[in-house]
């Protein structure tokens, strides 16, 4: 008879959170527990009428919708912290309206949340779904439900830090690029959610000197399809060209689409921008803050490549501060300039004015009419 091997999955708490993220992405509930306290939590994305009816049977009128402070402010209730709205009955349309629609106004009081509610919101952020969750207390018998995944609250709270420690090189190979024939792609696993990250080593940078580095967050629309709404594609290709012509460098291509909100939320934000919101107003309407990205793990990628001193190619002071905070020596920062045209000048001005990006727009073309 096979002997039971404890810890077969390695870090069991890390594994539980990864499984909980998958459950949230499919609008399936999880049980979050912290000592004697526990709640059932489910993300609102794809939460349909059938799922609401099933949850209603066990919630017994105790459910509530937990929203971020940004979302609450957008729908009529200024708050410095997240809040919860009572859901005597789980109504999919009401939940959708309160969580995402731009024209909605709050129809009930917003109550303070507890730590487990905050943990449920963090799961939603980790899963790249709408940052809004339905929670309700655990009632007798539900803990025996075989389909309900249990996850410790502390595992959620420590997940990002634990993930950062798992960062390792998974594969690497030369990949010649147009204009940069001597280029190597190095794929890292771990460090940020459950996604691979890529270091693009252009040329043969001298690691004994400060290395030209760019932290580039993936932008499907701009990098691949040449979207006119941003300057990301220009920055990506301009960075590779500058590195190829200037003695080499390292571009970290980070899977942090939409300032860490995920591609689905990014496209939702684009629709709101088409209705007149600026890029940050659109994100706030969906419940997000100014920027959800973390860059500390990027410093560890550089360290594993042998880099200790850098010249950072960026317009974003948060990236400079993050690398310094993670222990790298930043000896200089260099601007990363893309084209200015009517479709993106408002976007660039908003990043400069609201997020402090180091962007000069003197003489820029006028924005396109809405």
């Amino acid at each position: 008879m096979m002997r039971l091997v404890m810890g077969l999955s390695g870090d069991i708490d890390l594994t539980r959170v990864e499984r909980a993220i998958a459950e949230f992405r499919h609008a399936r509930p999880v049980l979050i527990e912290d000592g004697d306290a526990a709640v059932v939590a489910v993300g609102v994305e794809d939460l349909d009428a059938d799922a609401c009816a099933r949850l209603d049977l066990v919630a017994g009128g105790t459910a509530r919708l937990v929203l971020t402070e940004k979302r609450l402010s957008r729908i009529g209730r200024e708050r410095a912290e997240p809040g919860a709205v009572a859901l005597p009955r789980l109504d999919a349309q009401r939940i959708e309206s309160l969580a995402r629609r731009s024209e909605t106004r709050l129809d009930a009081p917003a109550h303070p949340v507890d730590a487990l509610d905050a943990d449920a919101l963090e799961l939603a952020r980790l899963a790249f779904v709408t940052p809004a969750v339905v929670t309700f207390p655990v009632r007798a018998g539900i803990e025996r439900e075989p389909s309900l995944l249990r996850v410790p609250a502390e595992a959620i709270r420590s997940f990002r830090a634990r993930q950062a420690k798992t960062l390792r090189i998974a594969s690497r190979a030369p990949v010649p690029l147009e204009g940069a024939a001597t280029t190597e792609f190095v794929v890292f696993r771990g460090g940020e959610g459950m996604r691979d990250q890529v270091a693009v080593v252009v040329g043969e940078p001298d690691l004994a000197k400060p290395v030209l580095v760019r932290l580039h967050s993936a932008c499907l629309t701009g990098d691949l399809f040449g979207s006119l709404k941003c300057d990301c594609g220009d920055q990506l290709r301009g960075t590779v060209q500058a590195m190829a012509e200037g003695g080499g460098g390292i571009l970290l291509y980070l899977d942090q689409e939409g300032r860490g909100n995920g591609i689905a939320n990014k496209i939702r934000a684009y629709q709101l921008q088409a209705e007149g919101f600026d890029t940050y107003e659109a994100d706030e309407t969906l419940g997000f803050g100014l920027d959800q990205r973390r860059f500390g793990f990027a410093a560890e990628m550089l360290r594993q490549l042998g880099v200790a001193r850098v010249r950072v190619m960026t317009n974003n002071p948060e990236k400079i501060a993050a690398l310094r905070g993670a222990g790298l020596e930043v000896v200089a920062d260099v601007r990363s300039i893309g084209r200015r045209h009517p479709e993106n000048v408002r976007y660039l001005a908003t990043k400069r004015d609201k997020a402090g990006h180091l962007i000069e727009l003197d003489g820029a073309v006028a924005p396109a009419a809405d």
Side-chain angles (χ1 to χ4, degrees):
M1 187 178 201
M2 183 179 294
R3 183 169 60 89
L4 179 64
V5 179
M6 301 303 293
L8 192 61
S9 297
D11 187 336
I12 187 62
D13 281 346
L14 199 66
T15 302
R16 282 173 175 155
V17 179
E18 289 172 346
R19 290 172 178 169
I21 290 169
E23 295 296 277
F24 255 57
R25 288 187 63 81
H26 294 282
R28 294 191 293 256
V30 301
L31 192 153
I32 304 173
E33 47 193 2
D34 188 6
D36 294 332
V39 297
V40 176
V42 59
V44 304
E45 197 156 317
D46 297 326
L47 190 63
D48 58 21
D50 287 343
C52 283
R54 291 194 300 272
L55 291 169
D56 241 346
L57 293 174
V58 291
T62 64
R64 53 194 204 156
L65 177 63
V66 183
L67 301 171
T68 69
E69 64 275 20
K70 295 296 184 182
R71 177 60 184 170
L72 286 167
S73 296
R74 278 283 159 186
I75 61 177
R77 187 63 52 85
E78 290 290 336
R79 290 184 66 93
E81 297 178 344
V85 179
L87 298 173
R89 184 176 68 86
L90 281 128
D91 181 317
Q93 290 189 351
R94 180 174 180 239
I95 291 169
E96 162 73 13
S97 178
L98 288 171
R100 281 213 296 244
R101 292 179 189 162
S102 61
E103 73 280 5
T104 296
R105 290 297 172 264
L106 195 61
D107 61 1
H111 302 285
V113 301
D114 60 24
L116 290 175
D117 291 327
D119 297 329
L121 271 181
E122 176 65 2
L123 264 184
R125 295 187 189 100
L126 290 168
F128 283 145
V129 294
T130 301
V133 294
V134 172
T135 67
F136 55 87
V138 174
R139 303 176 73 204
I142 194 172
E143 70 275 4
R144 295 193 296 274
E145 166 57 45
S147 68
L148 194 61
L149 177 71
R150 306 168 75 102
V151 57
E154 180 53 38
I156 298 171
R157 297 165 195 167
S158 63
F159 180 75
R160 293 182 190 270
R162 296 164 85 106
Q163 271 288 93
K165 295 178 181 178
T166 69
L167 189 69
R168 68 192 188 282
I169 294 175
S171 61
R172 59 195 306 166
V175 181
L177 304 178
E178 182 177 357
T182 304
T183 297
E184 182 184 27
F185 275 50
V186 185
V187 177
F188 286 79
R189 185 151 298 153
E192 179 70 1
M194 295 182 286
R195 307 179 301 283
D196 291 343
Q197 314 293 341
V198 181
V200 182
V201 183
V202 180
E204 297 179 350
D206 185 349
L207 302 184
K209 299 178 180 179
V211 176
L212 184 61
V213 165
R214 173 165 173 77
L215 280 57
H216 187 95
S217 296
C219 176
L220 175 70
T221 50
D223 296 344
L224 184 58
F225 292 101
S227 166
L228 300 179
K229 290 185 68 65
C230 64
D231 59 345
C232 301
D234 287 346
Q235 288 183 309
L236 176 65
R237 283 172 277 280
T239 296
V240 172
Q241 180 181 353
M243 289 177 175
E245 295 173 354
I250 300 175
L251 183 146
L252 301 185
Y253 195 77
L254 309 175
D255 188 359
Q256 297 176 318
E257 186 79 48
R259 289 194 290 269
N261 301 343
I263 185 62
N265 288 310
K266 175 181 176 177
I267 297 304
R268 292 180 183 119
Y270 273 6
Q271 177 57 42
L272 290 169
Q273 290 175 49
E275 297 171 11
F277 295 84
D278 71 34
T279 180
Y280 294 112
E281 290 169 345
D283 284 351
E284 287 178 357
T285 299
L286 295 171
F288 293 104
L290 204 64
D291 197 328
Q292 276 57 245
R293 293 174 294 180
R294 275 89 168 165
F295 298 106
F297 72 94
E300 179 59 25
M301 292 172 67
L302 292 170
R303 271 192 287 268
Q304 291 193 24
L305 292 172
V307 176
R309 302 166 67 215
V310 299
R311 293 184 297 128
V312 186
M313 198 169 186
T314 185
N315 305 325
N316 186 349
E318 290 294 326
K319 294 181 180 180
I320 300 168
L323 291 182
R324 283 188 172 134
L328 290 181
E329 182 182 350
V330 180
V331 302
D333 53 272
V334 183
R335 301 289 77 80
S336 178
I337 307 300
R339 289 171 291 177
R340 276 74 163 141
H341 49 74
E343 295 290 346
N344 74 5
V345 68
R346 184 191 181 201
Y347 163 81
L348 296 173
T350 302
K351 290 207 298 184
R352 177 197 63 192
D353 297 341
K354 290 192 174 182
H357 285 217
L358 306 171
I359 299 173
E360 296 291 338
L361 289 174
D362 292 343
V365 294
D370 290 334

